[in-house]
Amino acid sequence: MRVMGVDPGLTRCGAGVVDGAPGAPLRLVRVTVVRTAPADPVATRLLGIEAGIEELIEELSPDVVAVERVFSQHNVRTVMGTAQAAGVAMLVAARHGLPVATHTPSEAKAALTGNGRADKAQVANMVTRLLRLDGPPRPADAADALALAICHVWRGGAQARLTAAQAAARTARTSRTRGGAAQ
């Protein structure tokens, strides 16, 4: 499975692509940070993020996009920019027909380190070890994007199977209900 992880942000939007499967070695495909100028209007910055993610999806053909789920912080302005960047990433993925998953920072930290409260250095260290890199990806947005991708490789498959099973069960119930009403 090829997963693109996106750590959304208006100034720095981390994007990392990883190949892997649960129980198999992981492989780094690419990691980058899409940057926008803080002085630019928000709409222009969002266009820049869209173009950067679009280019990566077209070039690297991920199977799924895992985006950091925005959580409430004290700074509403920061949350708004992060949410807007996350929305752009989801929109680009949907435009390409790719499934989108969201994971909280705590979920990604727990998946990689076993501790949902791990600090950025611990996460970067585990990303470095798991992908057999010479050094931690920089800036932290790059490491966080890879952490999201790895989290999804390990946890996303099980979640996707559960979601598919639930959808199949709903369809079966609907079919029985409709079939019973028609008789």
Side-chain angles (χ1 to χ4, degrees):
M1 169 172 34
R2 179 167 282 189
V3 179
M4 173 185 274
V6 178
D7 179 39
L10 277 178
T11 304
R12 291 181 321 269
C13 183
V17 179
V18 171
D19 284 339
L26 299 162
R27 185 178 74 83
L28 172 66
V29 176
R30 168 123 20 105
V31 66
T32 189
V33 175
V34 178
R35 297 176 189 272
T36 66
D40 286 350
V42 171
T44 302
R45 296 171 78 183
L46 293 172
L47 277 172
I49 292 166
E50 177 195 28
I53 292 175
E54 181 87 30
E55 182 181 315
L56 287 167
I57 286 176
E58 287 178 358
E59 181 182 340
L60 303 174
S61 303
D63 300 311
V64 61
V65 176
V67 180
E68 181 178 289
R69 185 178 307 146
V70 179
F71 62 98
S72 179
Q73 296 175 339
H74 299 297
N75 186 342
V76 174
R77 188 172 180 183
T78 301
V79 170
M80 289 299 294
T82 302
Q84 290 167 330
V88 166
M90 290 186 241
L91 174 108
V92 174
R95 183 184 301 138
H96 286 271
L98 297 173
V100 175
T102 59
H103 300 283
T104 66
S106 295
E107 288 170 342
K109 290 173 182 181
L112 270 69
T113 70
N115 177 3
R117 293 176 171 246
D119 63 27
K120 287 198 176 282
Q122 290 171 304
V123 172
N125 182 45
M126 285 306 296
V127 166
T128 302
R129 290 177 59 200
L130 292 167
L131 294 174
R132 298 171 305 284
L133 305 175
D134 293 334
R138 302 224 188 274
D141 310 275
D144 290 347
L146 290 170
L148 286 160
I150 294 167
C151 173
H152 191 77
V153 167
W154 289 348
R155 293 185 171 188
Q159 185 59 48
R161 288 189 298 279
L162 178 60
T163 301
Q166 291 169 334
R170 280 192 302 276
T171 301
R173 282 193 304 273
T174 303
S175 295
R176 283 193 306 269
T177 303
R178 287 184 186 155
Q183 294 177 0

